[in-house]
Amino acid sequence: MQWFIDIFSTNSGIFDLLFKLFAVVISVIYLIYALIVLRQSRLMLMAINEGGGGFIRFTAFLQVLLAVFLIVVSFAII
Amino acid sequence: MEDLSVPSHSLFHSFCVRPSVKFETQMDNEEILLVLRAHPITQLPWILNGIFILILMVCINLFATSIFSFQQQFVLNVGTGAFVFAYYWFNFLAYFFNVGIITNHRVIDMDFHAVIYKEITEARINKVEDITAKSGGYVASLFNFGNVYVQTAGNELNIEFENIPRSSDVVKIINSVIP
């Protein structure tokens, strides 16, 4: 509770809180975007199936993992 | 003119003859003769934009230590890297999946606008009335790419292949397939 009060008692505390909030919100939006692109890339591969389908699925999944990592980092590190 | 019996891929898979590709609405007896994508040189703007953002990130890092803590800088760098990755991936998908396909039965234009909107326009080969190749500008002449417009009879939608390599050869190929 004291920690929560201390955040609002200093300018740097408010700045850190706003930065953390901004980072988490942007990370969540990025995760939603990554999930949409993952789904769309699968639909695109159904529309035209060329070699490299595995690479495209893997990279789209990697983007989702990156988004999750970004959320974890935003929560944990800042 | 290209030998349509020999499979080949050129210009980073933007001009593919008889590729081993399958598409959604392909019929059993339908053979793919040509798969076309935009010329790779037309993708340079987004590639350079991404590099510029990364350079900007490095430059900002030099000044950001006085404003942000180490942890905040780390998150900013990872976030910027993620943004550039997403930007590159989005543009790569748009390049890779916006294709023109010429088969022995049809001419097909497959477009994914902003990745989420799919538009497939096709025309039977025997309905093709007019084919136009347009190429203009220094860069287009230097790298030999242009637009091909396929007009069909009546009220059917016309097909447009934009910024494709060797547009004149594509016109010759379509003309050779028309019965």
Side-chain angles (χ1 to χ4, degrees):
Chain A
M1 185 64 182
Q2 185 60 36
W3 163 81
F4 192 72
I5 294 167
D6 285 341
I7 284 175
F8 291 97
S9 63
T10 61
N11 285 337
S12 67
I14 293 170
F15 177 78
D16 290 345
L17 182 66
L18 285 174
F19 186 94
K20 184 166 186 160
L21 189 66
F22 174 78
V24 169
V25 166
I26 294 296
S27 303
V28 168
I29 292 170
Y30 183 67
L31 176 65
I32 294 167
Y33 164 80
L35 288 170
I36 291 170
V37 169
L38 175 68
R39 171 84 180 132
Q40 276 306 114
S41 60
R42 285 181 184 162
L43 290 174
M44 285 162 137
L45 281 168
M46 279 168 51
I48 175 154
N49 196 345
E50 197 167 354
F55 167 75
I56 288 170
R57 282 192 199 93
F58 172 74
T59 310
F61 186 66
L62 196 66
Q63 191 173 23
V64 174
L65 290 181
L66 182 60
V68 170
F69 173 72
L70 205 54
I71 292 175
V72 167
V73 155
S74 299
F75 262 120
I77 290 189
I78 302 176
Chain B
M1 201 183 75
E2 198 77 24
D3 182 2
L4 292 179
S5 60
V6 179
S8 67
H9 295 257
S10 56
L11 294 166
F12 294 99
H13 296 270
S14 61
F15 193 97
C16 307
V17 177
R18 287 204 178 264
S20 53
V21 165
K22 294 241 176 288
F23 62 95
E24 223 172 9
T25 56
Q26 188 172 358
M27 298 182 285
D28 290 335
N29 60 347
E30 193 167 15
E31 295 170 14
I32 296 175
L33 303 175
L34 201 56
V35 168
L36 300 162
R37 293 184 173 92
H39 195 290
I41 203 72
T42 59
Q43 309 305 303
L44 216 49
W46 59 263
I47 294 170
L48 293 176
N49 283 344
I51 293 170
F52 173 74
I53 291 169
L54 288 172
I55 292 172
L56 198 64
M57 181 178 80
V58 168
C59 292
I60 287 173
N61 272 335
L62 298 173
F63 304 104
T65 45
S66 56
I67 305 168
F68 301 109
S69 66
F70 174 76
Q71 292 92 336
Q72 289 169 342
Q73 251 190 293
F74 177 75
V75 169
L76 272 174
N77 285 333
V78 171
T80 308
F83 171 76
V84 172
F85 179 77
Y87 179 67
Y88 271 10
W89 187 238
F90 180 88
N91 281 288
F92 171 76
L93 288 177
Y95 163 75
F96 192 78
F97 286 103
N98 282 340
V99 294
I101 302 172
I102 298 165
T103 74
N104 53 345
H105 292 307
R106 295 180 284 174
V107 177
I108 299 156
D109 181 18
M110 210 176 278
D111 289 326
F112 286 90
H113 303 287
V115 176
I116 53 178
Y117 298 107
K118 185 167 89 173
E119 183 184 356
I120 299 178
T121 313
E122 57 180 62
R124 294 240 154 225
I125 276 284
N126 55 4
K127 297 272 194 244
V128 171
E129 296 270 324
D130 238 355
I131 311 163
T132 309
K134 284 187 184 174
S135 177
Y138 174 73
V139 178
S141 298
L142 185 65
F143 291 98
N144 191 16
F145 66 87
N147 302 334
V148 169
Y149 303 98
V150 179
Q151 284 182 296
T152 54
N155 296 325
E156 293 165 35
L157 288 171
N158 297 326
I159 290 174
E160 298 171 0
F161 299 141
E162 292 186 343
N163 295 326
I164 57 166
R166 297 158 62 182
S167 47
S168 308
D169 287 346
V170 172
V171 170
K172 284 181 197 163
I173 288 168
I174 297 174
N175 275 325
S176 70
V177 180
I178 293 172

